[in-house]
Amino acid sequence: MGEAGLSNIPDEVLVIADDIREMRIRGAGRIARAAAKAMKIAAEKYSGVDADDFLSFMENVSKLLLSTRPTAVSLPNAVSYVMRRLKSAKAISVDYLRKVVIEVADEFIQMSNIAVGTIGEIGSRLIEDGDVVLTHCHSTAVVSVLKKAKDKGREFKVYADETRPRFQGRITYRDLSSYGIDVTLIPDSAVASVMRKVDKVFVGADAIASNGAVVNKIGTSQVALVAYKYSVPFYVAAETYKFSPMTLIGELIVIEERSPAEIVSREWLDKHPNIRVFNPVFDVTPPEYITAIITEIGIIPPHTASLILTEVFGAKSYGVEEKPVEESEQV
Ligand code: RUB
């Protein structure tokens, strides 16, 4: 977005957008809640009086938030959750529209937090005494499952892989160990060698396509492949707003690529200017490798993802303009 579009966006909103882009706010669920919070702040701080101007201001805020990271579908889903209700509200006054944004943003945040708690409750039922669990990256939904299992007194151990290059596995380690869960950090390269001791794998999701494929942190599909080879159940814990409605109409999920400096240091890059680095930060796990997806509305097999999409988002909610075919093509 050009400077003009940013000029009247409040600093707090710009800071949230930057925090998402630079991964100080990360993880699909937190990104979605932060986006909703940013929209609420934007509405609260808006000082104009014209309802149409308010709408274009909120469109600009949406564009800014959507430009931060491309993969986690929770972000556009959160933004359109608010924008859809704003657009369908009667433009009585800016005060009224502001109230709509604030209420709907709060509603999304609350719904999201409840979903994570419900997934924890449902997912914890899959953990049995003596289980050894493996997880990849840092997922609030997976942490919720494991903490809930601990609350219920289940005795289990966790392997958290490091998740290079950004080491989100260390966040998982800290979260779980501070909760009294028996957790061991392993390098990503040790996944195959520990898998024979593992009973269940749990990972989160950034996006779920209508065919049940799961997009999550780079390395997830390798973990899934190894789990499949050793017949270890592979569970995905994901709120329903991680399902991508646009995949139902053929849109692909964009896999974010980040700076080479996340893989090797800037100094090293300067010394080796011709080095080529590829840093995709998510990958796609096909539905064949996924045992089940744990959502807040129940545990579903991956191939039923399209039903969740039509159930939760409604058949006509994908933002596709309805157009008849040209007259000459009509039958
Ligand atoms: C985070 C990541 C997480 C999912 C699910 O990637 O891939 O596994 O977002 O997390 P990044 P949650 O660190 O690049 O944002 O369950 O917290 O939504």
Side-chain angles (χ1 to χ4, degrees):
M1 195 189 322
E3 284 298 307
L6 293 179
S7 62
N8 61 347
I9 296 182
D11 285 349
E12 292 94 320
V13 174
L14 298 176
V15 168
I16 292 177
D18 200 52
D19 282 349
I20 296 175
R21 189 175 289 112
E22 298 306 322
M23 292 176 65
R24 288 181 289 272
I25 295 174
R26 47 146 301 281
R30 285 183 69 219
I31 289 172
R33 291 187 288 278
K37 184 177 162 197
M39 295 178 88
K40 176 181 166 175
I41 295 172
E44 281 168 346
K45 302 257 164 184
Y46 186 75
S47 56
V49 289
D50 184 273
D52 286 341
D53 287 351
F54 178 68
L55 214 65
S56 20
F57 165 74
M58 287 307 298
E59 292 280 10
N60 276 343
V61 170
S62 302
K63 276 190 207 141
L64 168 71
L65 293 167
L66 294 174
S67 72
T68 54
R69 290 191 77 186
T71 304
V73 77
S74 52
L75 173 60
N77 282 346
V79 168
S80 67
Y81 189 92
V82 178
M83 286 308 284
R84 206 177 263 279
R85 294 264 288 278
L86 171 61
K87 284 179 186 162
S88 63
K90 284 203 177 66
I92 303 170
S93 66
V94 169
D95 275 348
Y96 175 74
L97 295 179
R98 178 186 291 120
K99 201 165 150 268
V100 171
V101 172
I102 293 170
E103 277 176 13
V104 178
D106 276 342
E107 182 184 298
F108 180 87
I109 294 167
Q110 197 194 12
M111 177 270 282
S112 166
N113 283 323
I114 291 174
V116 174
T118 308
I119 287 170
E121 172 55 38
I122 295 174
S124 66
R125 296 175 190 162
L126 299 171
I127 295 182
E128 294 160 293
D129 278 337
D131 270 354
V132 176
V133 168
L134 172 73
T135 188
H136 179 67
C137 195
H138 173 259
S139 155
T140 309
V142 171
V143 167
S144 171
V145 168
L146 299 174
K147 286 185 174 174
K148 198 74 198 174
K150 171 80 181 169
D151 291 346
K152 290 179 175 172
R154 301 275 197 284
E155 300 281 349
F156 60 98
K157 289 184 176 170
V158 179
Y159 284 115
D161 68 25
E162 285 182 305
T163 317
R164 284 171 184 258
R166 295 293 294 251
F167 297 104
Q168 288 93 333
R170 292 178 187 173
I171 310 174
T172 303
Y173 182 89
R174 277 200 305 272
D175 253 13
L176 299 182
S177 60
S178 65
Y179 207 71
I181 293 172
D182 181 345
V183 52
T184 305
L185 194 65
I186 57 166
D188 299 338
S189 44
V191 164
S193 71
V194 302
M195 194 58 87
R196 63 196 80 212
K197 298 186 219 156
V198 170
D199 298 295
K200 280 149 202 165
V201 176
F202 287 81
V203 297
D206 285 85
I208 300 176
S210 58
N211 68 349
V214 167
V215 177
N216 191 48
K217 180 53 54 192
I218 191 77
T220 303
S221 66
Q222 275 174 202
V223 177
L225 261 170
V226 178
Y228 188 74
K229 177 76 189 162
Y230 286 96
S231 304
V232 174
F234 185 93
Y235 295 106
V236 176
E239 307 89 293
T240 50
Y241 56 80
K242 310 251 180 89
F243 287 69
S244 166
M246 298 307 278
T247 57
L248 260 187
I249 51 162
E251 204 162 276
L252 298 175
I253 294 164
V254 176
I255 302 292
E256 179 182 9
E257 281 176 41
R258 293 183 70 88
S259 161
E262 293 190 343
I263 308 279
V264 283
S265 68
R266 284 252 173 245
E267 297 74 48
W268 201 81
L269 282 171
D270 290 344
K271 269 192 220 147
H272 305 85
N274 295 324
I275 195 93
R276 235 184 269 151
V277 177
F278 177 44
N279 181 20
V281 302
F282 298 101
D283 65 19
V284 183
T285 299
E288 306 86 88
Y289 299 137
I290 299 165
T291 309
I293 303 173
I294 308 158
T295 76
E296 73 276 20
I297 56 174
I299 300 177
I300 62 152
H303 64 265
T304 58
S306 58
L307 296 180
I308 292 281
L309 281 166
T310 38
E311 178 76 20
V312 173
F313 294 88
K316 287 192 169 189
S317 64
Y318 316 118
V320 178
E321 202 186 329
E322 289 183 343
K323 265 194 199 156
V325 290
E326 297 298 319
E327 213 168 309
S328 60
E329 296 169 19
Q330 278 177 11
V331 285

